[in-house]
Amino acid sequence: METIQERLDLIREKFAAFTAEGADPDDKWSYLIGLAKAHKGMDASLKEEKFVVVGCAATMYLVPQFNGSTIHFEMDVEGGTTNPLISRGLGALALAIYNDMAPSDILSVDPKFFQDIGLNVGLSPTRSNGFASLLKQIYLYARVFDAISKK
């Protein structure tokens, strides 16, 4: 199984290509849109109010499933009046790192990682706030499940 550090390294490498000399500035957004389109979403029965990520302009759902050692997340976005592809792509990117990892592994990652790879550059304040809210929710679940697993 892939470690969280290996996942971070892959994402770091991918985003380094977006800032390399001669890179198209739109490649980052195309990548996120591709992640959004490839993300399978989640079953409608899981879309409950208690799983809404507060702080997102679009309606984003994040459902954790803890099996005693790792957390599996289901995520989906409903756009309402806005196009949710970038928001959905951001969510899919977060899941590419955190999904099916131990709570302690999730907590070992500094959320500043996303700034370090340049994800925040060109991101609207609304989407930036929404992404920060998603990360906050992931880390909250990780803290809770970490505490449970240590009992």
Side-chain angles (χ1 to χ4, degrees), residues 7-134:
R7 290 180 181 185
L8 292 170
D9 291 344
L10 287 171
I11 300 291
R12 188 179 289 110
E13 185 178 313
K14 184 71 166 171
F15 274 77
F18 300 145
T19 58
E21 188 174 327
D24 184 337
D26 289 336
D27 286 349
K28 174 172 51 176
W29 310 117
S30 296
Y31 174 70
L32 288 172
I33 289 169
L35 288 176
K37 289 179 177 178
H39 184 71
K40 68 176 178 69
M42 61 192 248
D43 190 87
S45 67
L46 296 173
K47 294 180 181 180
E48 298 178 38
E49 186 69 28
K50 66 183 178 182
F51 295 121
V52 171
V53 177
V54 177
C56 291
T59 302
M60 179 179 280
Y61 297 92
L62 181 70
V63 180
Q65 299 163 337
F66 184 57
N67 67 10
S69 60
T70 62
I71 308 172
H72 179 80
F73 293 102
E74 297 286 340
M75 181 276 306
D76 208 352
V77 178
E78 295 175 353
T81 59
T82 63
N83 182 341
L85 282 175
I86 296 294
S87 297
R88 188 179 176 130
L90 290 167
L93 177 67
L95 266 55
I97 295 170
Y98 301 116
N99 219 6
D100 301 316
M101 288 289 161
S104 59
D105 290 335
I106 293 170
L107 296 171
S108 74
V109 178
D110 186 344
K112 190 174 163 283
F113 167 81
F114 296 100
Q115 291 175 4
D116 294 344
I117 64 171
L119 183 62
N120 58 329
V121 176
L123 202 58
S124 72
T126 303
R127 287 209 174 93
S128 184
N129 289 339
F131 188 59
S133 295
L134 171 65

